[in-house]
Amino acid sequence: MLVVKKFGGTSVADKERIFNVAKRCAEDYKSGNDVVVVLSAMGKTTDHLIEMAKDINPNASKREMDMLLATGEQTSVALMAMAFGAMGIPAISLNAFQVVMHTTKKYGNARFKRIDSERIHNELDDRKIVIITGFQGINKYDDITTLGRGGSDTTAVALAAALHADACEIYTDVDGIYTADPRIVPKAKKLEEITYDEMLELATLGAKVLHNRSVEMAKKYGVQLVVRSSLNETEGTVVKEEVEGMESMLVSGVAVDKNAARIAVIGLQNQPGIAFKIFNLLAKKNINVDVILQSIGRDDKKDISFTISRDDVEEAVALLEQNKARLTAERIESDATVAKVSVVGAGMQSNPGVAAAMFEALFNAGINIRMIATSEIRITVLLDEVDADYAMRAVHDKFIPE
Amino acid sequence: MLVVKKFGGTSVADKERIFNVAKRCAEDYKSGNDVVVVLSAMGKTTDHLIEMAKDINPNASKREMDMLLATGEQTSVALMAMAFGAMGIPAISLNAFQVVMHTTKKYGNARFKRIDSERIHNELDDRKIVIITGFQGINKYDDITTLGRGGSDTTAVALAAALHADACEIYTDVDGIYTADPRIVPKAKKLEEITYDEMLELATLGAKVLHNRSVEMAKKYGVQLVVRSSLNETEGTVVKEEVEGMESMLVSGVAVDKNAARIAVIGLQNQPGIAFKIFNLLAKKNINVDVILQSIGRDDKKDISFTISRDDVEEAVALLEQNKARLTAERIESDATVAKVSVVGAGMQSNPGVAAAMFEALFNAGINIRMIATSEIRITVLLDEVDADYAMRAVHDKFIPE
């Protein structure tokens, strides 16, 4: 059996943890499996490198930033190979050049195009544990690229797909995927299984366990993922295409996003094409718009409200103010004290009562809903940030059996 | 004009120094030259990485050690490219994979075989400053190798040869090559020029300004070197094939090696082949033998004395003790309180009086000579370490005009 195991930066932050990881992988190896290990940079290395770079040039070229950051994972994999060496287990570290891991050319946010598997298979055939740098690749100019934050998950999935691995295990500092963040909802339960689509909705909504792109890739190539703890032997959560007994659990998770802001464009003329103009403006600046609400105001005028990430508020407001006349808007309002609470569940596709049940739970809890948006497997409500945690617990109580 | 400029770890140890180097290179660039910059790892980075490795595995594989150490120079070159960026000067960093710098396969002590110049020329043609990782290469397995300590000098010379550079400048923390270590001989003078052969003798003898192998390579490929300070604008010393006005300066340098030890193998049978057996034993263990003295002792028995590095004393004595019977030796003695003082000068080839003058100077200073060795351009005497500094000054006074 060929197993890809990915460990994040916290799991390799110091000597003790490096040996912990090595021991875990050694068990697998000794039981006869072929083991490929994907590592992130140690602890806060990446942050530290970024600081050094910003100090020298706050607008450093992304190409050089990737050249710099790639040293972080190379350090991890070399030290891990030494740890295996100390344990008498044959191992070899490989960076993106050595594999080769081909990506698109975009620095700082590249995507995998193709992964050569020959060298890895050769090393595995020699019964070595193969340790590979996460997060990085090589573009067509022979330059180093990085995949963006959390990209090591994607590396693990891409390798699992390229090597036709039998399992892809993502080790993290939590036991698996929970029905909600246990810090907010103490009754939250660990899921045994979850579908790719549910995981995607939860990842997008701020359950920071798995990198979104890695889930998309896993879905695309049918790579079954296991998310589990690097600190204990708990079973973890399997992420796969379909979950058996899916109907028994209508909702698989409740998520909160406290980085939301609401923008309102008020007093628009009631004429066609205004909404298009607004969202086209924002799209051109790469500002992602989420929940959208259009309402008829006084004097037959329209208001359009929507949510965006708080990081984009300043830019969005400035942009809309500049174009106020063209948009026929009276004024622009923004509010960064809102939050989004979502329930996600593949089961709700065939069960129309979920939305109603959610609104009932919130009503009973005395929480005011400001906007609503739904997808096939998700219902999101916008509410005041101060209500968010209480709302989470109310909704969780409603859907997740104790 | 194409110029290769090499800066050591001290010259890029922090932000301020990185910008210092960048400014220096920018002047050259702005005057119209093509500029290739070779960098070592910042400050104590390499030592720090070695410490981390030893902590995890004191006997770490050399392959993994090279994988680890190579991150040091990659960090330097990326940050330097960012510094040029901040100054508005187009620059690009390249590691050994990107160049490609082909080496022999030996980890930790590889030699250059071939350097591809295409990518570098392409970047220079785009009027970029090209910043290249020193100290490292790629072997035929696509694995990272390192050249051994001080290898960045060799990288600079190898690049100068491969690119047919017009100049190769080695920047260091001293103003150039001196007739002696100024800390020991305050009257020491900076040389304007020195031959490769003299530099090789001085480098071997412990004048740690230039890496020996880099001088050998410069001689082989006729690369004229300039050794100069990264801290000021002083002219520096040119290292080249022949020095004009050579006769005017009989001796170009006086060097001391305080890491010497003397081994004596005493009471050997006076039969052929004994010396061969001794030095063959040592050679097999890679122990370098320097000054050798054979003398007839009492009862027609022989003593053989020689010097080695102090690091090798323990191993050499153990080896000789094990083979005492086979060597017909009565006993082995060792003495690590000796030093070698040497005068070096291409001029002495045609002037037989140098040795006599040196001995006279030492005799006048009341210093006892324990062994003597000579090459075409060098005379070395072994003496007690306590006498070394005084001997240096006496010999320097004799040969170097004030």
Side-chain angles (χ1 to χ4, degrees), chain A residues 266-271 295-303 328 330-331:
Chain A
I266 291 170
L268 298 160
Q269 296 290 339
N270 194 1
Q271 62 191 38
S295 57
I296 304 296
R298 57 219 142 59
D299 305 332
D300 197 35
K301 290 197 171 168
K302 288 196 302 191
D303 302 341
T328 75
E330 283 170 9
R331 65 178 197 280

Side-chain angles (χ1 to χ4, degrees), chain B residues 72-302:
Chain B
E73 290 78 30
Q74 189 164 319
T75 303
S76 301
V77 295
L79 291 175
M80 185 62 73
M82 293 175 191
F84 282 115
M87 293 162 62
I89 292 173
I92 189 164
S93 69
L94 299 176
N95 66 19
F97 268 109
Q98 291 167 322
V99 167
V100 184
M101 309 188 87
H102 305 269
T103 71
T104 55
K105 63 187 181 199
K106 192 172 181 186
Y107 302 107
N109 197 23
R111 313 243 157 180
F112 283 118
K113 287 166 69 179
R114 191 175 86 251
I115 293 179
D116 297 350
S117 57
E118 194 187 342
R119 170 107 194 228
I120 300 172
H121 278 305
N122 286 346
E123 303 290 356
L124 290 173
D125 288 349
D126 285 349
R127 277 303 281 156
K128 287 183 194 156
I129 292 183
V130 182
I131 310 151
I132 297 175
T133 50
F135 179 63
Q136 58 189 253
I138 304 298
N139 69 14
K140 65 178 177 182
Y141 309 118
D142 263 357
D143 283 344
I144 298 174
T145 53
T146 64
L147 307 175
R149 282 270 164 157
S152 293
D153 289 348
T154 309
T155 303
V157 175
L159 278 167
L163 300 169
H164 307 288
D166 302 286
C168 182
E169 302 169 353
I170 309 289
Y171 287 83
T172 166
D173 50 2
V174 296
D175 286 349
I177 312 292
Y178 276 76
T179 51
D181 185 337
R183 286 167 302 184
I184 300 173
V185 183
K187 288 183 195 166
K189 293 161 69 173
K190 199 189 71 194
L191 294 162
E192 279 178 34
E193 299 185 329
I194 189 170
T195 66
Y196 297 124
D197 289 333
E198 289 171 322
M199 191 66 238
L200 278 171
E201 294 282 9
L202 288 171
T204 316
L205 294 168
K208 286 160 189 129
V209 181
L210 271 184
H211 195 247
N212 215 4
R213 227 193 299 159
S214 66
V215 183
E216 279 168 16
M217 190 179 278
K219 178 177 158 76
K220 184 172 171 188
Y221 292 100
V223 174
Q224 187 165 309
L225 299 177
V226 182
V227 179
R228 56 190 300 187
S229 169
S230 62
L231 309 170
N232 60 50
E233 298 285 339
T234 313
E235 276 296 331
T237 302
V238 178
V239 188
K240 56 196 227 183
E241 186 57 40
E242 279 199 33
V243 169
E244 283 150 51
M246 204 188 282
E247 271 84 3
S248 67
M249 195 119 148
L250 208 56
V251 165
S252 58
V254 182
V256 66
D257 175 5
K258 294 182 179 173
N259 192 33
R262 193 179 69 93
I263 305 269
V265 188
I266 290 170
L268 298 159
Q269 295 290 340
N270 194 1
Q271 63 192 37
I274 294 283
F276 165 75
K277 281 181 192 163
I278 291 174
F279 297 117
N280 191 243
L281 268 176
L282 297 166
K284 277 187 188 156
K285 295 285 178 185
N286 278 319
I287 297 172
N288 264 327
V289 170
D290 192 19
V291 188
I292 299 173
L293 185 78
Q294 176 171 319
S295 58
I296 304 297
R298 45 199 161 67
D299 304 333
D300 198 35
K301 291 196 169 170
K302 288 197 302 191

Side-chain angles (χ1 to χ4, degrees), chain A residues 100-175:
Chain A
V100 185
M101 307 187 87
H102 305 269
T103 71
T104 55
K105 64 188 181 200
K106 193 173 181 187
Y107 302 105
N109 198 22
R111 312 244 156 179
F112 283 117
K113 288 168 67 181
R114 192 174 83 251
I115 294 180
D116 297 350
S117 58
E118 192 187 342
R119 170 107 194 228
I120 300 173
H121 278 305
N122 286 345
E123 303 290 355
L124 290 174
D125 288 348
D126 285 349
R127 276 303 281 156
K128 286 182 194 157
I129 291 183
V130 182
I131 310 150
I132 297 175
T133 51
F135 180 62
Q136 59 189 251
I138 304 299
N139 69 13
K140 65 178 177 182
Y141 309 118
D142 263 358
D143 283 345
I144 299 174
T145 53
T146 63
L147 307 177
R149 282 270 164 155
S152 293
D153 288 349
T154 310
T155 304
V157 175
L159 278 167
L163 300 169
H164 306 289
D166 300 287
C168 182
E169 301 169 355
I170 309 290
Y171 287 83
T172 168
D173 50 2
V174 295
D175 287 349

Side-chain angles (χ1 to χ4, degrees), chain A residues 272-294:
Chain A
I274 295 282
F276 165 75
K277 281 183 193 162
I278 291 175
F279 298 116
N280 192 244
L281 268 176
L282 297 166
K284 275 189 190 155
K285 294 288 178 185
N286 277 319
I287 296 172
N288 264 327
V289 170
D290 193 18
V291 187
I292 299 173
L293 185 78
Q294 177 171 319

